[in-house]
């Protein structure tokens, strides 16, 4: 038997790829991480502190819920969390009000959800159980949550997968990493290299081939990597852009049963927090919901940075498909102007820095994160199997509550590495 360590190539240096890479490298495996971008992190996208006044996040920003893998890693890295504080506000087109999440039909919703045995889409669930006009508000709030928070399509999204989120009103602890997610990615990438893993940036993988018992990974630039196993951690839409062996292609087809949503994210830094000056009641505002083009905004509260972050998620982001980053920024300024009863010029006057990303237009993401359909759990089980030389990993394969999050990516990478090491 050969004494040569098993060589594993990981495609993608996002959270899942780096987590798997570190675990395998420190167990003595030879690891090569191939990343198409010129940076690590994937859909974690650190922005320059000099531009926004703090290490901002152009992609993933929040740590949701218990997130045990994330929190353990943060402790190891010596990083801390800032819990989200403050008040959620809503603008109804005329007035600001503190968001009241209580719905008169909430107990009825919980009862029906609690008795639900067979999965069905959210849209079918609402049509079947809450079709009457008296439920208009309930349907609207659920559809808004599914589209905006989960970036999902109610016509395809799983009711059972979202049941727990609704049962607690969609609320759980949220926090930010002091230093941003980029600090965590820097730690993981350094750990990979410290344990001997090679991290190669600017390497777009175009094909994976079987070649006489070995696996060959081909880059679009002509580079060739021979290895024993491959872990694919790329976002689901990119699986269609990599030529795969027939057996792997058949397995990858299961990804079509997992939803994948889009997000538009806009960061606007101003010279001063003019929204608090205009409406002192908003001094403790964290989130602001509206029906404008960019419907969700949040602040850095309790920090005092004069930055507003705009968010638009779900299938309706297709309405903005033709807009470039500058046009998205203009759409954000226009939404804020309408909400606060100002001219667009008044809002733009104090603008210091701005950036906008439509993640659906990012060539190495094609969207933001995954969500469950009624067929997703079976698809995840198939994709997560450790059979064959090509494995799949990433946030879309996480079978816990918070698929789509960084916690999901880290946990999936850890699980995939564990399967290889046990195998």
């Amino acid at each position: 038997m050969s004494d040569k360590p098993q060589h594993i190539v990981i495609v993608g240096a996002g959270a899942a790829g780096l987590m798997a890479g570190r675990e395998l490298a420190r167990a003595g495996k030879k690891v090569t991480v191939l990343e198409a971008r010129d940076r690590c992190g994937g859909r974690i996208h650190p922005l320059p502190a000099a531009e926004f006044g703090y290490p901002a996040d152009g992609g993933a920003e929040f740590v949701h819920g218990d997130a045990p893998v994330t929190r353990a890693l943060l402790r190891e890295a010596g990083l801390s969390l800032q819990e989200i504080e403050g008040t959620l506000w809503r603008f109804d087109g005329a007035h600001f009000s503190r968001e009241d999440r209580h719905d008169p039909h909430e107990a009825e919703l919980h009862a029906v959800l609690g008795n639900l045995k067979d999965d069905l889409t959210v849209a079918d669930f609402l049509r079947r159980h809450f079709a009457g006009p008296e439920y208009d508000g309930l349907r609207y709030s659920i559809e808004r949550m599914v589209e905006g928070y989960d970036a999902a399509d109610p016509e395809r999204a799983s009711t059972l997968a979202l049941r727990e989120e609704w049962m607690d009103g969609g609320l759980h602890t949220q926090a930010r990493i002091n230093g941003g997610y980029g600090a965590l990615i820097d730690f993981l990438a350094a750990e990979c290299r410290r344990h001997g893993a090679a991290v190669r940036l600017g390497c777009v993988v175009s094909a994976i081939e079987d070649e006489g018992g070995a696996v060959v990974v081909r880059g679009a630039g002509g580079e060739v990597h021979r290895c024993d196993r491959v872990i694919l951690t790329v976002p689901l839409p990119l699986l269609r852009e990599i030529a795969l062996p027939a057996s792997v292609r058949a397995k990858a087809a299961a990804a079509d049963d997992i939803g994948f949503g889009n997000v538009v994210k806009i960061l606007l830094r101003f010279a001063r927090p003019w929204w608090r000056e205009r409406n002192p009641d908003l001094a403790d505002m964290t989130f602001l919901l509206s029906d404008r083009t960019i419907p969700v905004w949040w602040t850095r509260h309790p920090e005092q940075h004069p930055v507003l972050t705009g968010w638009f998620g779900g299938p309706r982001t297709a309405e903005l498909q033709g807009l470039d980053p500058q046009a998205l920024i203009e759409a954000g300024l226009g939404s804020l102007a309408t909400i606060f009863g100002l001219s667009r010029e008044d809002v733009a006057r104090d603008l210091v820095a701005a950036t906008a990303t439509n993640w659906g237009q990012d060539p190495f993401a094609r969207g933001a994160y995954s969500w469950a359909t009624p067929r997703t759990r079976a698809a995840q089980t198939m994709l997560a199997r450790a059979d064959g030389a090509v494995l799949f990993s990433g946030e879309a394969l996480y079978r816990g509550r918070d698929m789509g999050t960084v916690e999901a990516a880290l946990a999936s990478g850890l699980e995939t590495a564990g399967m290889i090491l046990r195998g």
Side-chain angles (χ1 to χ4, degrees):
M1 187 157 168
S2 170
D3 290 331
K4 223 172 69 169
Q6 190 178 26
H7 182 199
I8 299 156
V9 168
I10 298 172
V11 182
L18 293 176
M19 191 68 171
R22 182 181 84 143
E23 293 304 301
L24 293 167
R26 70 179 180 180
K29 304 295 184 186
K30 180 183 178 184
V31 175
T32 304
V33 183
L34 304 178
E35 170 55 48
R37 303 177 189 273
D38 60 1
R39 60 172 179 82
C40 293
R43 286 164 281 169
I44 291 171
H45 183 203
L47 298 171
E51 198 170 336
F52 289 94
Y54 63 95
D57 288 297
E61 179 172 342
F62 299 103
V63 176
H64 302 275
D66 295 336
V69 179
T70 304
R71 290 173 186 263
L73 203 58
L74 290 170
R75 287 192 294 273
E76 192 182 339
L79 296 168
S80 60
L81 285 172
Q82 170 73 56
E83 301 292 338
I84 302 300
E85 303 172 14
T87 303
L88 181 72
W89 286 79
R90 172 156 182 78
F91 178 71
D92 65 5
H95 305 98
F96 289 93
S97 61
R98 288 178 172 83
E99 175 81 342
D100 179 10
R101 285 181 171 269
H102 177 73
D103 186 279
H105 304 289
E106 192 171 309
E108 187 181 353
L109 172 66
H110 288 187
V112 175
L113 285 170
N115 292 325
L116 194 64
K117 299 292 187 291
D118 298 320
D119 204 359
L120 68 170
T121 69
V122 171
D124 283 342
F125 171 79
L126 294 175
R127 282 191 285 263
R128 184 173 302 181
H129 296 285
F130 298 98
E134 68 273 26
Y135 299 117
D136 285 353
L138 178 70
R139 288 196 307 273
Y140 175 78
S141 63
I142 286 176
E143 288 166 355
R144 186 179 67 183
M145 172 80 73
V146 170
E147 291 184 349
Y149 182 79
D150 300 293
D153 181 352
E155 294 289 348
R156 290 189 64 214
S158 158
T159 300
L160 287 181
L162 295 172
R163 174 163 61 183
E164 191 178 344
E165 181 182 308
W166 298 347
M167 295 289 265
D168 68 7
L171 291 172
H172 53 34
T173 306
Q174 292 193 94
R176 291 187 184 92
I177 300 170
N178 289 314
Y181 264 117
L184 187 63
I185 289 297
D186 288 345
F187 171 75
L188 268 181
E191 281 283 285
C192 284
R193 294 184 174 107
R194 184 167 74 87
H195 290 290
V199 180
R200 304 196 187 284
L201 303 177
C203 183
V204 179
V205 170
S206 58
I208 296 170
E209 301 167 357
D210 285 323
E211 195 174 277
V215 186
V216 175
V217 180
R218 298 192 182 277
E223 62 271 32
V224 176
H225 301 269
R226 286 180 169 78
C227 58
D228 302 290
R229 299 193 96 162
V230 175
I231 304 175
L232 279 169
T233 73
V234 299
L236 294 182
L238 297 187
L239 292 176
R240 303 185 192 99
E241 300 182 15
I242 299 174
L244 299 170
S247 60
V248 181
R249 173 61 61 192
K251 188 174 172 182
D256 290 343
D257 289 331
I258 303 175
F260 197 76
N262 189 36
V263 163
V264 171
K265 189 173 184 182
I266 303 167
L267 281 87
L268 305 176
R269 179 186 180 185
F270 297 94
R272 63 185 218 284
W274 53 265
W275 54 95
R276 293 204 298 265
E277 297 168 6
R278 186 159 181 83
N279 188 338
D281 288 344
L282 303 181
D284 68 343
M285 181 180 79
T286 46
F287 291 91
L288 173 62
L289 309 181
S290 75
D291 292 323
R292 300 302 96 195
T293 301
I294 306 300
V296 180
W297 293 89
W298 62 77
T299 69
R300 293 288 299 182
H301 185 80
E303 294 176 2
Q304 297 301 303
H305 296 291
V307 174
L308 290 175
T309 298
W311 174 273
F312 183 25
R316 289 187 300 119
T317 56
E319 299 164 10
L320 306 184
Q321 190 62 27
L323 301 187
D324 64 13
Q326 185 55 45
L328 290 174
I329 290 166
E330 295 294 332
L333 292 170
S335 294
L336 289 172
T338 303
I339 291 168
F340 286 95
L342 296 167
S343 71
R344 188 217 151 279
E345 290 71 25
D346 285 337
V347 176
R349 187 172 295 122
D350 287 321
L351 190 65
V352 173
T355 188
T357 303
N358 182 341
W359 282 94
Q361 294 176 346
D362 184 299
F364 304 124
R366 308 285 188 203
Y369 49 84
S370 61
W371 44 270
T373 74
R375 301 173 65 176
T376 285
R377 296 307 181 213
Q380 289 173 320
T381 300
M382 179 180 294
L383 284 163
R385 286 201 312 247
D387 55 338
V390 180
L391 281 66
F392 298 87
S393 189
E395 51 84 10
L397 272 67
Y398 180 71
R399 281 158 283 184
R401 164 181 165 163
D402 291 316
M403 68 181 291
T405 63
V406 177
E407 169 72 9
L410 293 170
S412 178
L414 196 59
E415 181 181 355
T416 306
M419 285 194 302
I420 290 176
L421 296 175
R422 289 191 301 271

